Amino acid sequence: MEIRMAEGAESSRFVKGTSILTTANSDVSGVLGMLMHPLSVLLVCLPLGVVSEIWHWGPTPTFFLNFFALVPLAKILGDATEELAEGLKNDMLAGLLNATFGNAVEMVIMVNTLRAGLIDMVKATLLGSVLSNLLLVLGMSFFCGGIVGRIGKKAGGSAEYSSKLPTSDKEGMLEEAEEQTEWVQEKVQSFSKLNALTNTSMLLLACLSFSLVTVFYAQAADAAGVPEEEIQDMLLPVSRLCAIIIVMAYAAYIFFQLVTHRGASAEDNSGYGDDAEQEEARVSAPTAVGVMLVSTVIVAYASDCMVNSLEGVVENAHISSHFIGIILLPIVGNACEHASAIRFAIMDKPGLSIGIAVGSSTQISLFVVPFAVLAGWVLDKPMDLNLGSLNTTVMVISVVVVLSVVVDGQSNWLQGYLLMSCYTIAAILYWYLPDAHFHSHHHH
């Protein structure tokens, strides 16, 4: 105990918003620090969502109340994971933890949707997570980071004025440096190419497997006289084998990041820890585990209520199931990552926001999707990698667009705007896409 006290006094961290010195017995204030966040207002929706499930207020309120309750829960789960990772004092374990529990919410929602037999919705949600991370989060980070400079200092750090200005413009540059405005002219942010490109290559690998399985299905379906059941019987083993291969590739990628190429991968992530430490009190490892377990259980229950009300919402509210799966559900798991990615971009740490945005989509497409296929194998549900031609096309072309944006290691606001436009186009498509096969897999 004494040693821990001394350690606490030595590191002298302050509880957010106060000048109380945190010591080893400050777990309570640490947990409160996690809860003291504007988003936590939405936790009001949690009891309401449960009540509406029990008293049958109807599918639409149940869906939306639980939907909003999941946003702060996802944030608390993420915070607890980070606290635990910091408490372990072991970079490798911390990286693994963040990699697996970073998408805990998506995985819980996915298992619940699988159990309900809504295979298409599972595919839509996972695809939607990848799209929103790749196009929306990355686009908004580049956009905000490229337009807003820090006040109080020249846009220093990793941002730089492009030095191609002719000499006559030097005076203008000086004036601008004195004024220190919020709008920064000619602002370009640079980041490490290695991480961004490794991530996008991994995404392209995932796209390859999805597209090949989808095309394989189309090819088999075109062959005359092959009944649907037989095609399904061929498709499932193919998907499962592909899933195992992708998971192994993901394991190799984690090994690459945490063991063999740690230095290169760590360049971008420096500074992530410091910010977290200044913000809130540290929580001891057991407490962090406890918070994680409790919030995971609550997330499981809330998402279960949400999934059960899905079909009713599709019928009553006239929102297409594609739009719910691809645009709405990903907001739940990503709202908090979303905010932090944009914050880092504005703080001129574009490497971190790319790590969050592209890293999350890599995790989902290389770990959560194959995990879904294998979970379907265990639960005996026919989950496969055939995402359908439209979804596959959207995903592959999005990844190619992102690749073209990050390949030069620099970003500006125009690139961010383009990525957001891509996302908007996809959203419009899915809003108008009719629901043909929402109940298609219930007869299995």
mmCIF file of all heavy atoms in Angstrom, residues 135 139 142-143 401 404-405 412-425:
data_model
loop_
_atom_site.group_PDB
_atom_site.id
_atom_site.type_symbol
_atom_site.label_atom_id
_atom_site.label_comp_id
_atom_site.label_asym_id
_atom_site.label_seq_id
_atom_site.Cartn_x
_atom_site.Cartn_y
_atom_site.Cartn_z
ATOM 1 N N LEU A 135 -14.530 6.916 -44.476
ATOM 2 C CA LEU A 135 -14.903 8.093 -45.255
ATOM 3 C C LEU A 135 -15.300 9.250 -44.349
ATOM 4 O O LEU A 135 -14.798 10.355 -44.497
ATOM 5 C CB LEU A 135 -16.059 7.743 -46.198
ATOM 6 C CG LEU A 135 -15.721 6.653 -47.208
ATOM 7 C CD1 LEU A 135 -16.935 6.334 -48.065
ATOM 8 C CD2 LEU A 135 -14.566 7.079 -48.097
ATOM 9 N N GLY A 139 -12.533 11.804 -43.275
ATOM 10 C CA GLY A 139 -12.847 13.012 -44.033
ATOM 11 C C GLY A 139 -13.001 14.208 -43.114
ATOM 12 O O GLY A 139 -12.434 15.273 -43.355
ATOM 13 N N PHE A 142 -9.552 15.269 -41.661
ATOM 14 C CA PHE A 142 -8.731 16.015 -42.622
ATOM 15 C C PHE A 142 -9.313 17.401 -42.844
ATOM 16 O O PHE A 142 -8.597 18.392 -42.932
ATOM 17 C CB PHE A 142 -8.673 15.270 -43.960
ATOM 18 C CG PHE A 142 -7.716 14.113 -43.959
ATOM 19 C CD1 PHE A 142 -7.617 13.270 -45.050
ATOM 20 C CD2 PHE A 142 -6.912 13.863 -42.861
ATOM 21 C CE1 PHE A 142 -6.732 12.206 -45.055
ATOM 22 C CE2 PHE A 142 -6.031 12.806 -42.857
ATOM 23 C CZ PHE A 142 -5.943 11.977 -43.953
ATOM 24 N N PHE A 143 -10.644 17.468 -42.935
ATOM 25 C CA PHE A 143 -11.307 18.735 -43.230
ATOM 26 C C PHE A 143 -11.070 19.719 -42.089
ATOM 27 O O PHE A 143 -10.580 20.826 -42.295
ATOM 28 C CB PHE A 143 -12.800 18.481 -43.426
ATOM 29 C CG PHE A 143 -13.559 19.692 -43.875
ATOM 30 C CD1 PHE A 143 -13.470 20.138 -45.185
ATOM 31 C CD2 PHE A 143 -14.360 20.383 -42.988
ATOM 32 C CE1 PHE A 143 -14.170 21.255 -45.599
ATOM 33 C CE2 PHE A 143 -15.058 21.498 -43.404
ATOM 34 C CZ PHE A 143 -14.963 21.937 -44.701
ATOM 35 N N VAL A 401 -10.140 5.051 -52.918
ATOM 36 C CA VAL A 401 -10.127 6.514 -52.776
ATOM 37 C C VAL A 401 -9.281 6.925 -51.570
ATOM 38 O O VAL A 401 -8.440 7.823 -51.651
ATOM 39 C CB VAL A 401 -11.568 7.050 -52.624
ATOM 40 C CG1 VAL A 401 -11.549 8.514 -52.246
ATOM 41 C CG2 VAL A 401 -12.333 6.868 -53.914
ATOM 42 N N SER A 404 -5.675 6.611 -52.292
ATOM 43 C CA SER A 404 -5.146 7.706 -53.117
ATOM 44 C C SER A 404 -4.944 8.961 -52.279
ATOM 45 O O SER A 404 -4.109 9.799 -52.594
ATOM 46 C CB SER A 404 -6.105 7.997 -54.261
ATOM 47 O OG SER A 404 -7.255 8.623 -53.754
ATOM 48 N N VAL A 405 -5.717 9.096 -51.186
ATOM 49 C CA VAL A 405 -5.584 10.284 -50.345
ATOM 50 C C VAL A 405 -4.377 10.171 -49.416
ATOM 51 O O VAL A 405 -3.635 11.128 -49.240
ATOM 52 C CB VAL A 405 -6.884 10.488 -49.533
ATOM 53 C CG1 VAL A 405 -6.652 11.483 -48.437
ATOM 54 C CG2 VAL A 405 -7.996 10.966 -50.442
ATOM 55 N N ASN A 412 -4.939 17.690 -46.806
ATOM 56 C CA ASN A 412 -5.453 19.060 -46.743
ATOM 57 C C ASN A 412 -6.968 18.998 -46.700
ATOM 58 O O ASN A 412 -7.548 17.915 -46.769
ATOM 59 C CB ASN A 412 -4.965 19.874 -47.946
ATOM 60 C CG ASN A 412 -5.197 19.119 -49.229
ATOM 61 O OD1 ASN A 412 -6.284 18.594 -49.455
ATOM 62 N ND2 ASN A 412 -4.181 19.023 -50.066
ATOM 63 N N TRP A 413 -7.626 20.148 -46.577
ATOM 64 C CA TRP A 413 -9.070 20.108 -46.340
ATOM 65 C C TRP A 413 -9.830 19.584 -47.545
ATOM 66 O O TRP A 413 -10.894 18.975 -47.391
ATOM 67 C CB TRP A 413 -9.598 21.471 -45.907
ATOM 68 C CG TRP A 413 -9.586 22.531 -46.969
ATOM 69 C CD1 TRP A 413 -8.621 23.471 -47.144
ATOM 70 C CD2 TRP A 413 -10.576 22.768 -47.964
ATOM 71 N NE1 TRP A 413 -8.949 24.271 -48.204
ATOM 72 C CE2 TRP A 413 -10.149 23.863 -48.734
ATOM 73 C CE3 TRP A 413 -11.777 22.155 -48.292
ATOM 74 C CZ2 TRP A 413 -10.880 24.357 -49.799
ATOM 75 C CZ3 TRP A 413 -12.507 22.643 -49.369
ATOM 76 C CH2 TRP A 413 -12.054 23.742 -50.105
ATOM 77 N N LEU A 414 -9.301 19.790 -48.744
ATOM 78 C CA LEU A 414 -10.046 19.348 -49.932
ATOM 79 C C LEU A 414 -10.209 17.829 -49.916
ATOM 80 O O LEU A 414 -11.289 17.298 -50.198
ATOM 81 C CB LEU A 414 -9.334 19.786 -51.211
ATOM 82 C CG LEU A 414 -10.048 19.330 -52.482
ATOM 83 C CD1 LEU A 414 -11.403 20.002 -52.589
ATOM 84 C CD2 LEU A 414 -9.239 19.622 -53.717
ATOM 85 N N GLN A 415 -9.119 17.131 -49.550
ATOM 86 C CA GLN A 415 -9.197 15.671 -49.509
ATOM 87 C C GLN A 415 -10.262 15.224 -48.507
ATOM 88 O O GLN A 415 -11.031 14.294 -48.772
ATOM 89 C CB GLN A 415 -7.831 15.100 -49.118
ATOM 90 C CG GLN A 415 -6.790 15.315 -50.206
ATOM 91 C CD GLN A 415 -5.416 14.833 -49.785
ATOM 92 O OE1 GLN A 415 -5.056 14.894 -48.606
ATOM 93 N NE2 GLN A 415 -4.641 14.360 -50.736
ATOM 94 N N GLY A 416 -10.311 15.904 -47.364
ATOM 95 C CA GLY A 416 -11.331 15.578 -46.379
ATOM 96 C C GLY A 416 -12.722 15.787 -46.930
ATOM 97 O O GLY A 416 -13.625 14.966 -46.738
ATOM 98 N N TYR A 417 -12.889 16.903 -47.669
ATOM 99 C CA TYR A 417 -14.203 17.200 -48.232
ATOM 100 C C TYR A 417 -14.614 16.117 -49.220
ATOM 101 O O TYR A 417 -15.770 15.671 -49.246
ATOM 102 C CB TYR A 417 -14.159 18.569 -48.910
ATOM 103 C CG TYR A 417 -15.501 19.009 -49.414
ATOM 104 C CD1 TYR A 417 -16.437 19.515 -48.528
ATOM 105 C CD2 TYR A 417 -15.848 18.909 -50.747
ATOM 106 C CE1 TYR A 417 -17.688 19.902 -48.965
ATOM 107 C CE2 TYR A 417 -17.085 19.289 -51.202
ATOM 108 C CZ TYR A 417 -18.010 19.786 -50.304
ATOM 109 O OH TYR A 417 -19.245 20.150 -50.731
ATOM 110 N N LEU A 418 -13.659 15.658 -50.032
ATOM 111 C CA LEU A 418 -13.967 14.611 -51.016
ATOM 112 C C LEU A 418 -14.422 13.329 -50.318
ATOM 113 O O LEU A 418 -15.388 12.693 -50.744
ATOM 114 C CB LEU A 418 -12.737 14.313 -51.878
ATOM 115 C CG LEU A 418 -12.250 15.460 -52.753
ATOM 116 C CD1 LEU A 418 -11.065 15.017 -53.598
ATOM 117 C CD2 LEU A 418 -13.369 15.949 -53.651
ATOM 118 N N LEU A 419 -13.713 12.957 -49.240
ATOM 119 C CA LEU A 419 -14.090 11.727 -48.532
ATOM 120 C C LEU A 419 -15.506 11.846 -47.967
ATOM 121 O O LEU A 419 -16.301 10.909 -48.038
ATOM 122 C CB LEU A 419 -13.096 11.439 -47.407
ATOM 123 C CG LEU A 419 -11.701 11.021 -47.855
ATOM 124 C CD1 LEU A 419 -10.790 10.818 -46.658
ATOM 125 C CD2 LEU A 419 -11.758 9.751 -48.670
ATOM 126 N N MET A 420 -15.839 13.041 -47.409
ATOM 127 C CA MET A 420 -17.190 13.215 -46.867
ATOM 128 C C MET A 420 -18.234 13.133 -47.980
ATOM 129 O O MET A 420 -19.312 12.581 -47.784
ATOM 130 C CB MET A 420 -17.293 14.550 -46.119
ATOM 131 C CG MET A 420 -16.444 14.577 -44.866
ATOM 132 S SD MET A 420 -16.825 15.917 -43.748
ATOM 133 C CE MET A 420 -16.277 17.333 -44.645
ATOM 134 N N SER A 421 -17.888 13.656 -49.170
ATOM 135 C CA SER A 421 -18.828 13.571 -50.293
ATOM 136 C C SER A 421 -19.088 12.117 -50.654
ATOM 137 O O SER A 421 -20.232 11.733 -50.913
ATOM 138 C CB SER A 421 -18.289 14.291 -51.526
ATOM 139 O OG SER A 421 -17.764 15.529 -51.176
ATOM 140 N N CYS A 422 -18.022 11.305 -50.672
ATOM 141 C CA CYS A 422 -18.201 9.876 -50.976
ATOM 142 C C CYS A 422 -19.192 9.258 -49.996
ATOM 143 O O CYS A 422 -20.082 8.495 -50.393
ATOM 144 C CB CYS A 422 -16.891 9.109 -50.861
ATOM 145 S SG CYS A 422 -15.617 9.656 -51.967
ATOM 146 N N TYR A 423 -19.035 9.608 -48.715
ATOM 147 C CA TYR A 423 -19.901 9.018 -47.700
ATOM 148 C C TYR A 423 -21.346 9.435 -47.924
ATOM 149 O O TYR A 423 -22.276 8.628 -47.817
ATOM 150 C CB TYR A 423 -19.442 9.453 -46.305
ATOM 151 C CG TYR A 423 -20.161 8.738 -45.193
ATOM 152 C CD1 TYR A 423 -19.885 7.406 -44.929
ATOM 153 C CD2 TYR A 423 -21.112 9.380 -44.411
ATOM 154 C CE1 TYR A 423 -20.541 6.731 -43.914
ATOM 155 C CE2 TYR A 423 -21.764 8.715 -43.396
ATOM 156 C CZ TYR A 423 -21.473 7.383 -43.150
ATOM 157 O OH TYR A 423 -22.132 6.716 -42.151
ATOM 158 N N THR A 424 -21.543 10.726 -48.260
ATOM 159 C CA THR A 424 -22.900 11.220 -48.477
ATOM 160 C C THR A 424 -23.558 10.490 -49.639
ATOM 161 O O THR A 424 -24.732 10.106 -49.562
ATOM 162 C CB THR A 424 -22.873 12.732 -48.768
ATOM 163 O OG1 THR A 424 -21.941 13.347 -47.880
ATOM 164 C CG2 THR A 424 -24.234 13.338 -48.566
ATOM 165 N N ILE A 425 -22.789 10.258 -50.709
ATOM 166 C CA ILE A 425 -23.343 9.535 -51.861
ATOM 167 C C ILE A 425 -23.798 8.145 -51.428
ATOM 168 O O ILE A 425 -24.905 7.703 -51.755
ATOM 169 C CB ILE A 425 -22.292 9.449 -52.990
ATOM 170 C CG1 ILE A 425 -22.028 10.833 -53.558
ATOM 171 C CG2 ILE A 425 -22.762 8.502 -54.080
ATOM 172 C CD1 ILE A 425 -20.900 10.882 -54.554
#
